[in-house]
Amino acid sequence: ELKVEQNPLFLSMQEGKNYTIYCNYSTTSDRLYWYRQDPGKSLESLFVLLSNGAVKQEGRLMASLDTKARLSTLHITAAVHDLSATYFCAVRGYGTSGSRLTFGEGTQLTVN
Amino acid sequence: DAMVIQNPRYQVTQFGKPVTLSCSQTLNHNVMYWYQQKSSQAPKLLFHYYDKDFNNEADTPDNFQSRRPNTSFCFLDIRSPGLGDAAMYLCATRTTTNEKLFFGSGTQLSVL
């Protein structure tokens, strides 16, 4: 069974500081996704990482994937208040009914 | 313009009273998903469709059913809602050739 773990689950950051969210997963996968969710809202796609060593950047967010270590990171540079949200990673796994995403528990980020 | 539309945005039902949530899409995507997300938890996959092929997750309760009468529409039926079914229900779509999931705005279900 595919398990996806994020840490930290709660992150309080000061504006202007840098930090990293980690996403570990338990079985081989070549697709990893990062989503943002604001309170009471749906999920917004941030990044899709498709191969080992993939790195994508959008504004103050940068995501990377190491499939050998089964690890993805989401790096936040010079945090601003607008980045406060919950961030989920999700990994594509395979079951008897085809591919589907398994989500991590989410990291609730607050920028003070 | 909204591409994955969920109605209603908020739904209140009574304990044991059947309720139907709807999802429509203008993207002509052949894969559609229903996720359940309880407060402060990760989204959990209930079932998904590849075209008309229905794929149920092993741990989805029998109380949850789904219908997909055509490509554009998908329905989630909860036959006898319990208090534990109160959650945000998220519909998502994609094509088989594109990894990106498009989420609807969600339906927040309350059970009284």
Side-chain angles (χ1 to χ4, degrees):
Chain A
E1 182 190 351
L2 173 59
K3 292 190 186 302
V4 182
E5 293 184 350
Q6 286 182 236
N7 72 84
L9 298 182
F10 298 93
L11 179 55
S12 181
M13 297 179 63
Q14 288 184 341
E15 276 200 325
K17 299 288 188 183
N18 303 334
Y19 210 84
T20 300
I21 300 171
Y22 297 88
C23 175
N24 289 90
Y25 54 98
S26 61
T27 64
T28 302
S29 177
D30 58 356
R31 299 284 187 269
L32 191 134
Y33 308 77
W34 284 97
Y35 291 91
R36 169 183 171 142
Q37 187 176 39
D38 292 298
K41 301 289 179 65
S42 189
L43 284 86
E44 174 191 352
S45 178
L46 295 175
F47 303 108
V48 180
L49 301 169
L50 301 178
S51 61
N52 186 42
V55 177
K56 291 198 173 178
Q57 183 163 5
E58 181 76 31
R60 300 175 187 275
L61 301 177
M62 183 173 72
S64 65
L65 177 62
D66 181 344
T67 58
K68 292 183 178 146
R70 299 177 186 166
L71 170 69
S72 179
T73 60
L74 180 66
H75 188 73
I76 302 153
T77 302
V80 293
H81 183 71
D82 286 352
L83 291 179
S84 296
T86 298
Y87 293 84
F88 290 96
C89 67
V91 177
R92 185 177 77 168
Y94 288 88
T96 55
S97 60
S99 71
R100 57 192 175 282
L101 296 187
T102 298
F103 284 79
E105 311 99 306
T107 296
Q108 187 174 320
L109 172 67
T110 304
V111 181
N112 299 307
Chain B
D1 291 335
M3 295 179 287
V4 183
I5 303 162
Q6 290 188 243
N7 284 307
R9 181 71 179 88
Y10 299 94
Q11 175 74 57
V12 180
T13 191
Q14 292 179 338
F15 182 93
K17 184 175 181 181
V19 65
T20 295
L21 310 181
S22 73
C23 177
S24 64
Q25 51 127 341
T26 60
L27 300 164
N28 204 33
H29 285 175
N30 59 324
V31 189
M32 292 186 80
Y33 300 83
W34 278 106
Y35 283 88
Q36 178 194 61
Q37 187 181 24
K38 295 186 178 180
S39 181
S40 302
Q41 295 185 20
K44 178 182 177 298
L45 182 64
L46 294 174
F47 21 62
H48 69 282
Y49 284 89
Y50 275 92
D51 297 310
K52 282 193 170 290
D53 292 335
F54 175 70
N55 299 279
N56 198 29
E57 292 300 296
D59 56 356
T60 298
D62 292 341
N63 198 25
F64 290 84
Q65 304 285 321
S66 184
R67 296 169 284 136
R68 189 178 186 187
N70 54 53
T71 300
S72 301
F73 287 88
C74 195
F75 300 97
L76 170 61
D77 301 309
I78 308 176
R79 294 192 294 188
S80 182
L83 298 179
D85 297 327
M88 171 81 85
Y89 290 87
L90 297 164
C91 173
T93 74
R94 70 174 180 90
T95 68
T96 47
T97 56
N98 189 334
E99 296 293 338
K100 184 176 177 180
L101 277 184
F102 292 80
F103 280 87
S105 55
T107 294
Q108 183 68 51
L109 178 68
S110 300
V111 181
L112 304 179

